[in-house]
Amino acid sequence: MTDTNLDWKNLSFGYIRTDFNIRSYFRDGAWTKPELTSDETVTMHMAATALHYGQEAFEGQKAFRGADGKIRVFRIDENAKRLRASADYLKMAMPPVELFTDMVRQVVRANERFVPPYGTGASLYIRPVLFGTGPQVGVKPASEYLLIVFVTPVGPYYKEGFNPIRVIIDRDHDRAAPLGTGHIKAGGNYGASLTSAEIGHEKGYPSVLYLDAKEKKHIDECGAANFFAIRDGRYITPKSHSVLPSITNMSLMTLAAEMGLQVEQRVVDYDELGTFDEAGSCGTAAVISPIGSIYDPENGRTFAYNDGKPGPWCEKLYHKLRAIQYGEEPDTHGWMTVL
Ligand SMILES: *Cc1c(COP(=O)(O)O)cnc(C)c1O
């Protein structure tokens, strides 16, 4: 059953308290049995490595209530693997895939009444977060970690239809170094992006497009989402060490290939921006945000796509992935875990 006291259609992407979160502690070399709790706070040592040395990584995924009333979670195992990759690079304890998936299932079930009804466009956002809690003053990995998974209902990303966004190029800041942490979901990357995001917002652009940090010649990440473009029957998306491997993008590449597009994951030159038929950014929050235009303040150029309307391939891919997530179309790839 769904809780009827919430205004599902008007939820924002904020935090709403739910009944439970779930926790597992890494202590003495082992993970504890996950415990559900209603406590929203964390008590930890002031010398915890998460606070001083950035030993922190997170995930973002969603659960959907389908047309058949069942709850489905999208590609849990991929988020588990990516959190392990983040943990590995930051030298944190790596949660086993089974522990992670068990915690996600348990916490969604325990908060079932917060999974929005089918048809509202809302969903249950799932936020796993892993961080070093053990004290350390020397620059060293902690010996203790905490993995928490909490959930919060979020509203439909597009309240007034599928709207293209305006994007600005930022050459003055990088979110990640060429051989740095861009490929993992570390909170530090987000800290590093807040200044450019705020400058973008002040100028009226909801998203910032980053060029590669070394040469500023190639397309890298689009805010906290992957960039992709469509040209002559091809789905083109940047290959770069500093781009986070988006599970949405990975899924869109599969769907694009099935729909007959040729998929190219490769270095994408800045000069190609003027040649695309469609452009978009993708990630869990919106699935796809079609890009209406990209402004480059350095030379005053604006690259515009599809007369400011969502392109046909952006529309098709968006609807296809959403239909799979809401159980409206068969899940031929085994992406959905039905709870
Ligand atoms: C999370 C994230 C994405 C999107 O990944 P999804 O798995 O599709 O949600 C893209 N870029 C960055 C920088 C991210 O942190």
Side-chain angles (χ1 to χ4, degrees):
M1 274 309 290
T2 286
D3 195 301
T4 49
N5 297 325
L6 285 167
D7 182 6
W8 303 108
K9 286 195 167 136
N10 293 307
L11 292 177
S12 63
F13 205 85
Y15 174 79
I16 291 173
R17 186 184 182 144
T18 60
D19 293 334
F20 299 103
N21 61 84
I22 193 163
R23 306 179 182 199
S24 173
Y25 297 84
F26 184 84
R27 287 186 194 127
D28 303 322
W31 291 96
T32 60
K33 185 168 173 284
E35 287 165 36
L36 286 164
T37 172
S38 299
D39 187 356
E40 290 173 289
T41 64
V42 174
T43 302
M44 64 181 168
H45 198 284
M46 63 187 172
T49 60
L51 301 176
H52 300 263
Y53 305 129
Q55 273 203 305
E56 187 275 347
F58 66 98
E59 275 303 323
Q61 49 199 119
K62 280 180 174 178
F64 305 86
R65 194 180 296 272
D68 54 4
K70 290 181 183 156
I71 298 170
R72 289 173 177 78
V73 186
F74 186 60
R75 306 194 79 168
I76 303 188
D77 49 328
E78 290 298 334
N79 291 91
K81 286 191 262 174
R82 193 169 64 187
L83 184 63
R84 284 175 60 81
S86 299
D88 191 21
Y89 191 79
L90 296 173
K91 295 299 136 213
M92 298 195 281
M94 291 160 66
V97 171
E98 307 73 50
L99 173 73
F100 180 95
T101 55
D102 174 50
M103 288 172 73
V104 170
R105 284 164 176 267
Q106 279 199 54
V107 76
V108 173
R109 276 210 197 93
N111 292 291
E112 200 179 321
R113 70 189 187 98
F114 292 95
V115 184
Y118 174 70
T120 55
S123 55
L124 187 72
Y125 184 73
I126 305 165
R127 169 54 62 87
V129 59
L130 171 69
F131 49 98
T133 50
Q136 204 67 264
V137 176
V139 183
K140 272 186 291 204
S143 53
E144 294 189 354
Y145 295 86
L146 174 54
L147 172 60
I148 303 183
V149 185
F150 70 80
V151 296
T152 195
V154 291
Y157 198 86
Y158 296 104
K159 287 199 180 66
E160 293 115 28
F162 193 47
N163 278 325
I165 55 169
R166 278 153 36 96
V167 171
I168 187 167
I169 292 178
D170 186 352
R171 292 163 191 273
D172 301 328
H173 307 88
D174 296 311
R175 65 175 278 283
L179 298 175
T181 52
H183 64 302
I184 58 167
K185 215 165 171 75
N189 295 336
Y190 279 70
S193 73
L194 292 177
T195 290
S196 63
E198 192 163 302
I199 292 171
H201 284 149
E202 280 166 3
K203 293 182 178 161
Y205 296 85
S207 194
V208 168
L209 184 65
Y210 295 99
L211 301 181
D212 75 281
K214 198 170 180 180
E215 298 183 274
K216 304 280 175 191
K217 278 188 188 158
H218 314 298
I219 308 305
D220 216 77
E221 195 80 280
C222 188
N226 279 185
F227 177 87
F228 71 93
I230 307 286
R231 179 176 70 214
D232 299 335
R234 284 176 291 169
Y235 180 103
I236 302 162
T237 191
K239 189 184 178 99
S240 155
H241 180 77
S242 49
V243 165
L244 196 272
S246 153
I247 297 163
T248 311
N249 197 9
M250 194 199 305
S251 311
L252 292 173
M253 285 190 259
T254 300
L255 298 177
E258 283 175 1
M259 290 174 174
L261 292 172
Q262 190 182 318
V263 174
E264 295 179 3
Q265 189 172 23
R266 57 162 173 83
V267 172
V268 178
D269 285 341
Y270 169 88
D271 295 329
E272 291 182 71
L273 287 179
T275 69
F276 297 137
D277 304 324
E278 298 179 35
S281 70
C282 60
T284 294
V287 178
I288 288 177
S289 292
I291 295 175
S293 62
I294 301 172
Y295 173 61
D296 186 349
E298 177 134 313
N299 52 27
R301 287 178 77 179
T302 297
F303 305 97
Y305 304 104
N306 211 58
D307 298 325
K309 294 189 293 286
W313 282 108
C314 283
E315 291 258 18
K316 247 192 245 180
L317 289 163
Y318 171 78
H319 290 296
K320 181 79 185 177
L321 188 51
R322 294 248 311 175
I324 296 170
Q325 292 176 331
Y326 282 101
E328 296 161 354
E329 283 200 27
D331 171 28
T332 57
H333 301 283
W335 287 343
M336 308 308 297
T337 298
V338 181
L339 295 187

